[in-house]
Amino acid sequence: MAHDLAQNTVDGLMTGSAYAMLALGFTLIFGVMRRLNLSYGPSIMIGAYLGTLVHLQFGMGAAVVALVTVLGAVAAGFYVERLCFAPMRGQAATASMVASFAIWMQLEELATLLLPRHSYPFPALIARPPFEIAGILIRADRLLTLGAAIAAMLALWLLVHRSRFGLALRATARDRATARHLGIDVDRIGLIAFLGASALGGLAGMLVIAADQQITPMFGMWATFKGLVAMMLGGLGSIPGAVIGGLLLGVVEAHGQWFFGPQLRDLLVYALLFLCLVLRAGIGAGVPSAERRI
Amino acid sequence: MEPHLVGVLTNIGMIAFVALSAYLLLLVGEISFGQQAFFGIGAYAAGIGTAVLDLPLGLALAIGAIAAAIGQLALALPTFRLRGLYFAMASLAFAEMMRIVLELTQFQVERDGELVGPNGAEGFRGIRYIFERGIEPAEFLLLVAALLAATLALLAVLERSRFGRRLRMVGEDELLAALSGIDVFRTKLAMAAAAGALAGLGGGLYAHASTYIEPRLFDVMLGVHSLAYGLIGGLGTALGPLLGVGLDIGLLESTQMFAGYRMIVFGGLVAVLLIWRPRGLLDERLLHRLARIGRR
């Protein structure tokens, strides 16, 4: 029993670190733009499909595939930003969200046109058997995910809190109009945040898909909703919050799966999310989300 | 009319109900990712009504609408203070919980030597009311169209009334509306009940048209589509969501236009449309202009 709990927690933290990276990407975009990018997961998926294409057509190894995946996600993110976010000013936040949903449908169809079968193999980053520490099984590629997540979070935190660019980013996130008056190019900041989030998402997606060793067209939806749920669990709009939300989601899912099976696992996660949202309204009533800073 | 056209029009009519329910919530400023849940509740409740309890269709549809309205109120009460993304995610969590509960629900009875009723993830088969009564597809379409027309007429009256103006004020700025003496809480609850009932009515019709429903049909894709229809067709009038549904299902899904590239074309067009008109084709400004021309 104690062993199961420990094993589940370790597994959950490793899966959760990928969720945390997805949540960080969402937080970065939402924090700066106050808009929801539903195409976040599908953009990552386009990157992964391009990676798979390179793998199948040219027999490229894991390193090249990983690079193509991240670059592809950034390219797709650029397209989404230019089409759905940059041209819509002012109060059109809902229009941006719906446009990003329309582009989601577009990207999903593009992916199935590129590779029409239901699933494709994706090269593993590390192909070695799991090892054991104090009786707990650990997969090397999951450990790599955890390591990459920690590195990405530290890098992002340093960038946001210890650089001139980060200062401009925080100013934009806190008050767009004032930031503009101070001479900050808020549109450029938004674009860079968007591309950075896409790169982070591409990295997270690549690690998840490489650990599963396969890709399906459902990945886009999966990544969007896992990232969103993790971000909201952590309390929208802060870097530590996104990380805690992601890890919490991973651990709750691992225990839920082990003790109750997949259906009740999801029920548990959504009940927890619902509770968090409702209670936060009680505590944070009167604090409009626009004042929460990244 | 040819059968294909009847099927398409029936489909447009039924989906229009759930699009209208998302539109009603948008009017009071709430973005819902969860209207599929109330469409699903209506479908299941109305299906149980005719297939299991042997009730007449009209009563079963009413029960479906009422059950969905109660469901939407159960969501609205604890989430009344949530706005924007908070409400959207709470409604998504609620709808996903509802879908999983439907997957776990077993309620079957024997009828004519056959088990009917919800059977978990396997779905709910044998909602054969309109076939057993020999109702023609064209007759069913007429029922859908009549209910939709009545709903649109009701909403048109509502929007011209003082209550309609109150709705848009709440949607525009809740604080300002409250300061002008509007009871924001009651306005939003009334809208939630109406939105739930409309989604439930659409779901009840859907269950009878397709004779088979399963929890997977009521996933978040349906909810986000319903939301998108309002923004495509326009938020200025209740005809907007109907136009959005018509453009998607009628023009693209049914005709074989751009087969294989449909979403690439449609997705791109929607994105460009929203740059040009962020509140849809039939937006408030256009409606205002039309009203001025009409008065002259």
Side-chain angles (χ1 to χ4, degrees), chain A residues 36 83 87 95 97-99 101-102 104-106 109 113 221 232 236 263 266-267 270-271 274 277 281 289 292, chain B residues 33 75 82 85-86 89-90 93 96-97 100 103-104 220-221 224 227 260-264 267-268 274-275 278:
Chain A
L36 185 58
L83 194 58
M97 186 192 74
V98 170
F101 175 64
W104 166 347
M105 298 291 110
Q106 196 182 40
E109 187 159 277
L113 283 175
M221 182 166 178
M232 300 311 285
L236 190 57
Q263 277 174 325
D266 290 348
L267 192 62
Y270 285 114
F274 191 75
L277 291 168
S289 63
R292 289 172 185 275
Chain B
F33 286 165
L75 168 65
L82 300 185
L85 191 53
Y86 289 94
M89 288 305 288
E96 286 292 284
M97 283 194 275
I100 297 167
E103 279 181 5
L104 299 170
V220 60
M221 275 295 157
V224 184
L227 194 62
Y261 301 89
R262 177 166 82 90
M263 284 326 296
I264 291 185
L274 286 168
I275 296 172

Side-chain angles (χ1 to χ4, degrees), chain B residues 22-272:
Chain B
Y23 162 81
L24 288 186
L25 292 179
L26 274 174
L27 284 190
V28 285
E30 301 279 34
I31 293 164
S32 169
F33 286 165
Q35 291 316 103
Q36 70 275 20
F38 310 108
F39 192 74
I41 291 175
Y44 268 81
I48 289 173
T50 58
V52 179
L53 304 176
D54 258 332
L55 299 174
L57 183 61
L59 187 57
L61 289 177
I63 289 173
I66 291 168
I70 292 170
Q72 183 101 56
L73 282 175
L75 168 65
L77 281 172
T79 57
F80 159 69
R81 289 190 181 283
L82 300 185
R83 300 212 27 111
L85 191 53
Y86 289 94
F87 179 80
M89 288 305 288
S91 61
L92 171 72
F94 184 90
E96 286 292 284
M97 283 194 275
M98 194 55 72
R99 188 177 57 77
I100 297 167
V101 167
L102 285 178
E103 279 181 5
L104 299 170
T105 303
Q106 298 262 352
F107 179 61
Q108 289 191 295
V109 295
E110 208 180 303
R111 262 192 71 189
D112 307 329
E114 203 186 332
L115 284 173
V116 289
N119 183 23
E122 296 287 301
F124 181 177
R125 286 175 195 289
I127 309 168
R128 282 191 292 258
Y129 185 93
I130 62 168
F131 293 90
E132 283 167 359
R133 302 283 183 295
I135 298 170
E136 292 288 315
E139 289 176 273
F140 191 73
L141 171 61
L142 210 60
L143 172 69
V144 173
L147 286 171
L148 189 61
T151 305
L152 289 172
L154 207 67
L155 288 177
V157 173
L158 183 90
E159 291 214 34
R160 276 159 201 274
S161 69
R162 285 178 65 88
F163 185 71
R165 239 160 280 150
R166 241 181 277 163
L167 285 181
R168 287 189 186 267
M169 270 185 85
V170 170
E172 201 68 33
D173 190 329
E174 223 171 86
L175 187 63
L176 201 62
L179 288 172
S180 322
I182 293 172
D183 189 339
V184 174
F185 181 68
R186 277 177 56 181
T187 309
K188 280 179 132 182
L189 279 197
M191 250 21 233
L198 280 186
L201 182 58
L205 290 168
Y206 180 84
H208 287 88
S210 63
T211 72
Y212 169 67
I213 48 177
E214 58 179 341
R216 217 176 330 150
L217 292 170
F218 313 114
D219 73 352
V220 60
M221 275 295 157
L222 176 61
V224 184
H225 271 105
S226 324
L227 194 62
Y229 289 143
L231 265 116
I232 295 167
L235 298 179
T237 156
L239 291 173
L242 179 61
L243 177 65
V245 178
L247 284 176
D248 185 30
I249 298 181
L251 208 64
L252 290 164
E253 203 171 306
S254 312
T255 62
Q256 286 298 307
M257 217 191 282
F258 314 116
Y261 301 89
R262 177 166 82 90
M263 284 326 296
I264 291 185
V265 174
F266 188 59
L269 283 179
V270 169
V272 172

